[in-house]
Amino acid sequence: MTGTSHGDVVREVRTGPADDRTQSCATDRWDALDRLHRRFQGTVERRLREETGFGLSEVQALRYVGRSSAADAGAEPMRLGDVANGLGLSQSATSRLMARLRRLGLIISSAVDHDRRGVQVLLTPAGHAALRRTASRYEQVVRDAVRDLGSQDVDPLLWRFLIGESDARTVIR
């Protein structure tokens, strides 16, 4: 116990070693974030389906693919792997999502010229129209869902982040 005071030992016995406290804080925050995300995602999913006929993943995919493919002739196809990474989905989940959008006539897909195993996607005119119809509703639904979370028991740090009140000086401890 050289160099360790009685108070340090008592504090460690009561609270556990500093690493345990950090781990506990990290897992507690992760659990809070996960619960918040599930609740938020369910709310946004339900409202989008009701108001647009599209689910959250379809709207997010239209938005993501639409970023790289303007409605004009200069549109650049996006590789399926890039879509998967951008949406945070597995390759197989992204393939199923793109197949749904293709069946709806919202995207076209083709093999990548220099890599026949690769697939690239591009919004169709109907896809651009769907994106225009859903984009403002998506933004409003997300804003409403964030606002509604304010009346619930939400971690204050997460709440400030969602409403844009956090800054680079905020450190999660």
Side-chain angles (χ1 to χ4, degrees):
M1 276 202 27
T2 306
T4 304
S5 73
H6 176 71
D8 290 338
V9 172
V10 170
R11 227 178 344 273
E12 187 165 319
V13 168
R14 287 185 185 152
T15 62
D19 288 345
D20 289 347
R21 286 190 310 266
T22 302
Q23 183 63 27
S24 176
C25 182
T27 55
D28 288 349
R29 288 225 185 263
W30 169 252
D31 290 344
L33 176 61
D34 188 44
R35 280 190 308 278
L36 179 63
H37 176 261
R38 290 172 192 265
R39 191 169 42 190
F40 189 82
Q41 187 173 16
T43 299
V44 171
E45 173 76 31
R46 187 182 70 259
R47 289 214 29 222
L48 279 176
R49 280 236 185 258
E50 291 169 358
E51 296 180 23
T52 69
F54 291 104
L56 179 57
S57 60
E58 288 91 359
V59 172
Q60 288 175 327
L62 289 171
R63 291 180 76 236
Y64 193 80
V65 174
R67 287 181 183 144
S68 71
S69 59
D72 59 21
E76 289 292 321
M78 182 175 280
R79 290 183 64 105
L80 194 62
D82 294 335
V83 176
N85 289 337
L87 296 176
L89 298 174
S90 68
Q91 190 77 27
S92 62
T94 304
S95 293
R96 290 189 304 272
L97 174 58
M98 293 298 112
R100 283 196 311 272
L101 295 177
R102 192 173 44 254
R103 282 191 303 274
L104 293 170
L106 303 177
I107 65 162
I108 55 173
S109 62
S110 60
V112 176
D113 290 335
H114 60 281
D115 178 7
R116 287 294 187 197
R117 293 174 299 156
V119 175
Q120 56 192 12
V121 295
L122 189 64
L123 290 183
T124 63
H128 284 286
L131 177 57
R132 284 190 301 276
R133 283 191 317 273
T134 60
S136 64
R137 289 309 312 144
Y138 174 73
E139 290 176 22
Q140 186 61 51
V141 165
V142 168
R143 276 195 305 270
D144 291 348
V146 169
R147 184 198 65 230
D148 294 347
L149 284 174
S151 64
Q152 301 174 19
D153 184 28
V154 175
D155 180 288
L157 188 59
L158 292 174
W159 169 249
R160 285 196 316 270
F161 172 77
L162 285 171
I163 62 172
E165 287 186 1
S166 65
D167 61 28
R169 293 172 293 179
T170 303
V171 176
I172 298 176
R173 289 185 172 81

